[in-house]
Amino acid sequence: MWRMARPRKPLLSRDLIVEAAGALVDAEGLEAVSTRRLAAALGVSGPSLYNHFRTKDEILDAVADAVSARVDLSMFDGGLDWRAALHAWAHSYRDALADHPNIVPVLARGPGRRPAGLRLADAVFGAMTAAGWPPAQATRIGALMRYFILGSAVGSFARGFVDDRAAYDPADYPHLGQAHLLAERQREVDEGAFETGLAALLDGLALQYEAVQETA
């Protein structure tokens, strides 16, 4: 009986391509992704990638969807009220994006036909309507939450300031005397800002929810 020799390298697959593309996006950004770079990283010929993806955009969509798939959606299964569920989901979503900030511009385009992205949108909308939000308002809440979470992942506010007191001459910037300290406190500042904004957002929605229930 003949036995086929085991291939020295794993057979090319969509998952391997997405993994390689994701690593490249994380390390160098979206512009670094090309079929040539991916083929070299995977040890295959460029045209072989087209057996799995038709275009570079399809590859980037798959990378984005792989990140969306890491977002926990279990809080929408019915055990939490709508506010607690949105709070937990927002943190899970931000955590997923924080590990892969370079893919955020692709995610910002919307879910399109990406399965994980559509499951995410479906879970949020379903939970909001089940809680008694009108469908139109539930759609707006899903959009609002995405704007806020994606925006928080685009970049660091604290790291936007340099660790150099001389850069913030009080004659020019009288209120930025401590700005040179922000970069070293990046996690405290950025995570605190996210939580402050999320609480304010949910407080505002809670007021709207009371009005919706009164008119129901």
Side-chain angles (χ1 to χ4, degrees):
M1 179 177 178
W2 293 97
R3 293 181 180 273
M4 294 182 64
R6 289 175 177 265
R8 293 183 179 180
K9 296 182 179 179
L11 295 176
L12 190 63
S13 67
R14 287 179 64 91
D15 288 344
L16 284 175
I17 296 170
V18 170
E19 182 179 352
L24 197 54
V25 170
D26 286 345
E28 301 182 39
L30 296 172
E31 296 77 11
V33 178
S34 68
T35 55
R36 179 183 61 80
R37 292 286 302 276
L38 286 175
L42 292 164
V44 298
S45 64
S48 63
L49 299 177
Y50 294 112
N51 292 326
H52 301 276
F53 294 97
R54 292 177 297 176
T55 65
K56 169 185 167 178
D57 284 345
E58 281 192 1
I59 296 173
L60 292 176
D61 266 352
V63 173
D65 213 38
V67 173
S68 293
R70 299 177 187 181
V71 180
D72 183 15
L73 299 176
S74 64
M75 66 285 296
F76 296 121
D77 290 343
L80 298 175
D81 65 27
W82 68 267
R83 177 175 177 149
L86 282 181
H87 185 275
W89 170 69
H91 276 281
S92 178
Y93 200 174
R94 182 173 182 267
D95 288 345
L97 298 183
D99 292 333
H100 310 281
N102 290 340
I103 200 64
V104 170
V106 179
L107 286 164
R109 301 171 191 164
R113 297 177 182 272
R114 299 192 295 266
L118 290 170
R119 283 193 294 271
L120 189 155
D122 181 74
V124 175
F125 181 81
M128 294 305 100
T129 53
W133 285 100
Q137 187 68 348
T139 299
R140 298 187 192 106
I141 290 171
L144 171 63
M145 294 298 292
R146 283 189 68 256
Y147 297 154
F148 176 69
I149 297 165
L150 291 171
S152 75
V154 168
S156 164
F157 175 82
R159 287 183 182 172
F161 295 86
V162 298
D163 183 15
D164 180 4
R165 183 190 292 269
Y168 307 104
D169 188 331
D172 296 320
Y173 315 107
H175 305 296
L176 295 182
Q178 301 297 308
H180 64 287
L181 301 175
L182 291 175
E184 68 181 37
R185 299 175 183 174
Q186 179 262 328
R187 182 170 182 176
E188 175 187 351
V189 172
D190 290 345
E191 291 188 1
F194 180 78
E195 186 56 41
T196 298
L198 180 58
L201 190 157
L202 294 175
D203 284 347
L205 287 177
L207 292 175
Q208 293 186 31
Y209 186 71
E210 290 179 6
V212 166
Q213 296 307 300
E214 289 176 358
T215 59

